Amino acid sequence: MVRSLCTVTTALAFGWGGFVLAADDAFQSPLLGLFEAGVLCAQDEGTSRAAPDTVAGTTHVVTRAPEFISDGRLVPAVIGVGFGVRSGLRDGMMQDGVTMTVTHPPFAGSGATQQSFQTRIGSDTDPGITFYQFDYDYELALGDWTMTASLGAVTLYEVTFTVVPPETLPNLADACGYQNLFS
């Protein structure tokens, strides 16, 4: 299930520049003043928002951004584990109406390989977070998952995570307290 952090935003009204290669081969626009990606633990608090271009049909909006438990790009396939990006535009600007597209290996049952929803990019002083967490068994698709944030034809960032079997990363798989998978 996709989740995002929302707060009050203002419109962004200046030209878009080129792209910069960030750490771990993530692309980020020079408009970003903050870009952090990593693995996190699920949160139950928040509200739901309609997201018709997702398999679940909704996204979960949290009010408190979870901390990353790892800044790596390897993610154990465990219910309750998530991954995503904390980001903010430069100069205190924020932007609503950002399209997040998540491409992933085919889901069991539906065969879905892409989902998208609306999110926001916070500011460098008040960042937003958008993440995907595993809530259902069908989501535990091993392989590369790419998150692309765009505003119209402009890509603000793109980052790839690799979902691996939990036994590959036992400490990280157990970090959220959902480890009863190896019996």
Side-chain angles (χ1 to χ4, degrees), residues 64-136:
R64 185 177 47 94
E67 295 298 318
F68 291 127
I69 59 173
S70 168
D71 62 1
R73 302 296 191 274
L74 293 178
V75 182
V78 176
I79 298 294
V81 172
F83 54 92
V85 174
R86 181 176 289 108
S87 63
L89 295 168
R90 293 186 185 282
D91 302 324
M93 300 298 293
M94 297 182 202
Q95 181 65 53
D96 279 322
V98 173
T99 300
M100 177 60 64
T101 303
V102 181
T103 56
H104 49 75
F107 282 169
S110 71
T113 59
Q114 181 173 300
Q115 303 178 73
S116 63
F117 58 95
Q118 296 298 298
T119 190
R120 70 180 280 281
I121 301 290
S123 71
D124 50 359
T125 58
D126 184 19
I129 188 166
T130 301
F131 59 99
Y132 195 101
Q133 75 179 39
F134 300 126
D135 292 322
Y136 307 103

Side-chain angles (χ1 to χ4, degrees), residues 2 11 16 27 33 37 40 46 48 60 80 84 91 96 113 120 123 129-130 158 165 168 182:
V2 287
W16 298 95
F27 289 98
L40 49 86
S48 291
H60 192 78
D91 302 324
D96 279 322
T113 59
R120 70 180 280 281
S123 71
I129 188 166
T130 301
E158 183 173 281
T168 305
F182 305 136

Side-chain angles (χ1 to χ4, degrees), residues 41 69 76 81 166-177 179 182:
C41 295
I69 59 173
V81 172
E167 58 272 12
T168 305
L169 301 167
N171 290 337
L172 193 54
D174 196 33
C176 299
Q179 179 78 6
F182 305 136

